[in-house]
Amino acid sequence: GNTVSVVDPPRFGVRVNAMDYGGRFTKERPPVMYVARANELSLREDEGASWSRRFVGPANFSNNGVDRIRDVVMDPLSWRIAYMVTRDRVFRIQRAGLADEQIVELTGNLAGLKATNDAAFGSANGINLQAVELYVGGEPNALLVAGQGGVYRLLGPDLYDGSTPITWSQYGEGLPNILATDLVYSEPGDRLVVAPWGRGVWSVPDASTSLPVAKFKLAD
């Protein structure tokens, strides 16, 4: 921590909106880094390596809420797989950095699951996604997103190729029915932490017992 250096200089005056770093694939690779500017997703595979850049959606920088990547998380077992959210869409990038790289949309029925909007936000915000988190190691794995109405979950996100129906469900019935702004899963503590706007911080202990199951309701 004694030395700070710029690894990717600012470009076009577009700010960094999301980042994830430190990957694994057969062995640890701490320097791996995903960085999102507007709708551009950049990948650095190793320290000192060149950045590879691709656009999610239109092939240009976009600062509007529809296309701007708001959060990104990589698969902890394979850094060539990562998930990201914009305001109302969810994507997976797979085989990132390879010749057969592919971006798959996983939005599915998510927009239709949005609960009644809190009056403070208004219906124009739609699902208004804020964050994405991935749980691996269960049967199946689970992808979580935070947005208007709480937390939503997709089981087996790695199994979808874009050609089959994608079915999301609401997770943690009993969470405040407002905008969830962030969520983090801690593997060592097996705990999911959710931050709803203005309603404190909520914690789900032993989360691995509930994340892979079809329905889960919070206790009082």
Side-chain angles (χ1 to χ4, degrees), residues 35-78:
V35 173
R37 290 184 179 89
N39 71 322
E40 181 194 75
L41 183 68
S42 300
L43 168 64
R44 186 188 74 165
E45 299 187 15
D46 211 337
E47 189 169 3
S50 299
W51 291 84
S52 63
R53 311 185 192 277
R54 74 279 296 147
F55 292 98
V56 179
N60 52 34
F61 279 133
S62 174
N63 282 311
N64 66 50
V66 175
D67 297 322
R68 179 169 57 86
I69 299 169
R70 292 183 168 186
D71 197 18
V72 58
V73 61
M74 72 180 80
D75 188 317
L77 300 181
S78 174

Side-chain angles (χ1 to χ4, degrees), residues 73 76 83 132-145 152-158 168 171 183 185 192 207-208 210-213:
V73 61
Y83 298 84
V132 60
E133 183 64 293
L134 179 66
Y135 165 74
V136 300
E139 293 294 338
N141 299 335
L143 185 67
L144 300 165
V145 295
Y152 303 90
R153 176 191 52 191
L154 177 66
L155 295 177
D158 50 314
W168 291 80
Y171 173 80
L183 70 165
Y185 173 71
L192 179 72
S208 62
S210 61
L211 285 168
V213 300

